[in-house]
Amino acid sequence: MDTQQPYDLILHGGDVVDGTGAPRLRADVGIRDGRIAAIGDLAGAPAARMLDIAGLVVAPGFIDSHAHDDRAVLDMPDMLPKVSQGVTTVVNGNCGISLAPLRGDEALVPPLNLLGRGDSYGSFAHYRRAIDASPPAVNVAAMVGHSTLRVMRMGDVTRAATTAEISAMRADVEQALNDGALGVSTGTFYPPAAAAPEGEIIAVCEPLTRLGGIYATHMRDEGDRVMEAIDESLRIGAALNVPIVISHHKLVGKQNHGRSTQTLARIGEAARAQSVCMDCYPYDASSTILRPERVAICDRTMITWSEPHPEAAGRYLEDLAREWQCSPREAAEALLPAGAVYFIMDDGDVRRILQYPDTMIGSDGLASEGRPHPRLWGTFPRVLGHYGRKLGLFPLENAVYRMTGLTAMRMGLRERGRIAQGFHADLAVFDPDTIIDNATFDAPTETCTGMRHVFVNGVATWQDGAATGARPGRFIADRPQPPKR
């Protein structure tokens, strides 16, 4: 154990939950130069600062495996919604939607507009340089989105790409990977990519096979045809020979509630032959752009934003339809472009998916929404407090593993996600007896209870329950490496 040089900080007397799933251990954690320098009994060791955390847990900082903070890390770099709940790293560019490479008005095409309005970034390198020049309070890893590439390279996204368009998109993917992208995400559920056939996706993503990276997918269907969508995702991953992440796995529509037993069995079977995992958020309601054809299969629908009717944010579509004396679908069409929370899932499926051994935790939160889904502010303490401590879905150590070590391993993020000597000092210190989410659908921006301190690369971003204003985040250019030939 290295005790020769003074530590910048010693976290003293807490219970270390190291991110591997191992039982907690009473130990001190010494930090030096942004790294974890020692773990053990550091009583009497010289340190610039000693922080007593007796009765608290120190865990690796949480990694949001499914974020849409592409623009937020630049426009609201304090990242309060994430820092306040212990998040130290966000993985952006999910669901086929990335902020780069784009040119101007392309960013306004749904669902790219979910990232909000602002500057555009003509290359992935440009986006990375912007983060390096003005670091946020969290680390950032990012994928390049297939829908983004289609919108940029194709005049008409309602058809399959031509050979020339595929070649241009494939070159974009290769350049993005060389510039530090984590991988490629697809969102064939959304209109810009719905017409893309399986072969197009494989051809566009071919650089992943040579250069490594993640293939993450918001599948074509999470309802009646979910099994076909899973099989397509598995075929694409197998053809590319890369790790697959099934994004925010869920079952939508009452007729599909309970089918997670079927989907998880299929994914588990496939995992014996290829690398496949998933992420999940701990809520039974989803949120994305408002699609009028979707409201009929929802128990209810809450509007999060609307350009023609901004006053509708926070209102239920059914109430608006009664006031306007029209059908819910007609009301939805009048609100476009807009966003919505869909009460469309079953908590039994949510619990079953959360308990699956290879489920990572991702918020899927949308910082640009005027009335966001509470997952933006509450995902990680909700897993720890509601599903872990209160409902007993898993012990604390396993819950932390799903937010840290598992995610770092699956995403190829080196020297993060664990409390281990030499690893980056991304840490969350919380009260295991009180940690809980407070964000609700009626009050979606309430901070959680029980998060005491958060450190990113050894620097405090959250201290004694308040933001410090520090912005020590970095762009992370790690990714899974290609298989050896």
Side-chain angles (χ1 to χ4, degrees):
M1 186 175 298
D2 180 7
T3 59
Q4 301 304 308
Q5 301 178 45
Y7 297 104
D8 299 323
L9 171 66
I10 292 177
L11 301 176
H12 172 67
D15 287 342
V16 172
V17 175
D18 69 2
T20 67
R24 69 189 75 184
L25 172 71
R26 180 67 51 83
D28 302 330
V29 178
I31 299 169
R32 186 188 299 125
D33 297 330
R35 298 270 183 164
I36 297 168
I39 306 153
D41 184 357
L42 302 180
R49 182 185 175 209
M50 178 82 72
L51 183 60
D52 186 353
I53 60 168
L56 304 177
V57 161
V58 54
F62 306 142
I63 303 170
D64 190 341
S65 64
H66 189 110
H68 290 289
D69 295 322
D70 306 54
R71 193 182 297 283
V73 293
L74 295 166
D75 289 354
M76 45 180 285
D78 61 349
M79 291 300 292
L80 187 60
K82 298 300 173 68
V83 166
S84 63
Q85 54 181 314
V87 172
T88 57
T89 299
V90 296
V91 179
N92 289 334
N94 284 283
C95 298
I97 309 163
S98 61
L99 203 55
L102 280 175
R103 298 181 299 256
D105 290 345
E106 293 163 348
L108 303 180
V109 176
L112 277 61
N113 59 350
L114 290 174
L115 301 179
R117 296 173 180 268
D119 293 338
S120 58
Y121 299 89
S123 70
F124 200 88
H126 184 195
Y127 177 66
R128 178 178 177 178
R129 285 196 300 270
I131 293 171
D132 290 342
S134 182
V138 295
N139 300 309
V140 180
M143 289 177 279
V144 62
H146 171 241
S147 292
T148 291
L149 299 181
R150 285 189 120 238
V151 168
M152 188 179 72
R153 294 296 184 184
M154 298 175 62
D156 177 11
V157 295
T158 64
R159 55 170 174 79
T162 65
T163 300
E165 289 164 342
I166 287 173
S167 179
M169 289 189 282
R170 184 168 54 239
D172 290 332
V173 168
E174 181 152 358
Q175 187 62 57
L177 292 173
N178 286 328
D179 289 335
L182 180 66
V184 180
S185 74
T186 58
T188 45
F189 167 78
Y190 292 110
E198 189 175 315
E200 174 191 317
I201 296 169
I202 293 169
V204 168
C205 294
E206 180 274 334
L208 289 173
T209 304
R210 293 181 284 108
L211 301 178
I214 291 290
Y215 173 71
T217 179
H218 181 158
M219 302 185 301
R220 290 186 196 276
D221 196 283
E222 295 170 319
D224 295 350
R225 303 192 64 183
V226 65
M227 296 304 293
E228 292 95 324
I230 288 172
D231 285 342
E232 179 188 48
S233 302
L234 295 173
R235 288 193 301 270
I236 291 170
L240 295 168
N241 194 23
V242 296
I244 309 165
V245 177
I246 295 176
S247 295
H248 44 56
H249 185 40
K250 58 183 176 288
L251 286 305
V252 301
K254 287 184 179 180
Q255 71 275 21
N256 295 302
H257 291 173
R259 291 186 67 193
S260 56
T261 54
Q262 182 185 9
T263 63
L264 294 176
R266 177 69 185 98
I267 293 166
E269 176 189 19
R272 292 195 289 267
Q274 62 187 121
S275 176
V276 56
C277 66
M278 69 192 74
D279 62 62
C280 178
Y281 49 79
Y283 298 86
D284 58 6
S286 63
S287 179
T288 185
I289 56 173
L290 178 61
R291 298 183 68 168
E293 72 275 13
R294 198 169 177 81
V295 300
I297 62 171
C298 298
D299 292 332
R300 52 199 173 115
T301 304
M302 175 186 280
I303 305 305
T304 55
W305 60 273
S306 168
E307 288 194 5
H309 293 281
E311 74 281 1
R315 300 285 308 279
Y316 285 98
L317 180 67
E318 296 76 13
D319 294 338
L320 291 169
R322 279 192 291 272
E323 290 177 14
W324 295 351
Q325 297 183 340
C326 63
S327 70
R329 176 156 186 158
E330 288 170 333
E333 290 170 346
L335 289 162
L336 296 176
V341 167
Y342 300 98
F343 294 86
I344 199 170
M345 298 147 64
D346 175 67
D347 191 57
D349 285 317
V350 174
R351 297 186 197 190
R352 195 173 293 115
I353 292 167
L354 283 172
Q355 287 182 296
Y356 182 76
D358 278 324
T359 295
M360 307 177 292
I361 305 302
S363 72
D364 197 19
L366 297 167
S368 65
E369 290 185 323
R371 183 70 172 245
H373 189 299
R375 63 193 181 187
L376 180 68
W377 290 78
T379 287
F380 295 86
R382 184 171 177 81
V383 170
L384 293 169
H386 178 69
Y387 284 101
R389 187 179 67 250
K390 290 188 174 182
L391 297 185
L393 252 63
F394 25 57
L396 177 66
E397 292 85 350
N398 185 264
V400 168
Y401 168 66
R402 294 167 181 278
M403 304 174 175
T404 59
L406 174 64
T407 311
M409 176 180 66
R410 288 294 192 174
M411 297 290 188
L413 306 181
R414 294 185 287 278
E415 298 178 344
R416 298 189 191 272
R418 286 170 47 202
I419 296 181
Q421 191 168 353
F423 274 47
H424 296 278
D426 296 341
L427 301 166
V429 179
F430 59 90
D431 185 337
D433 296 326
T434 64
I435 188 78
I436 195 70
D437 61 307
N438 293 317
T440 65
F441 291 100
D442 292 325
T445 61
E446 294 295 313
T447 57
C448 72
T449 296
M451 185 57 62
R452 299 291 185 82
H453 310 282
V454 182
F455 301 89
V456 174
N457 298 308
V459 177
T461 57
W462 186 258
Q463 186 170 294
D464 297 320
T468 67
R471 299 174 183 175
R474 301 171 187 167
F475 188 92
I476 301 174
D478 300 339
R479 63 173 178 268
Q481 296 302 297
K484 294 180 180 179
R485 297 177 180 273

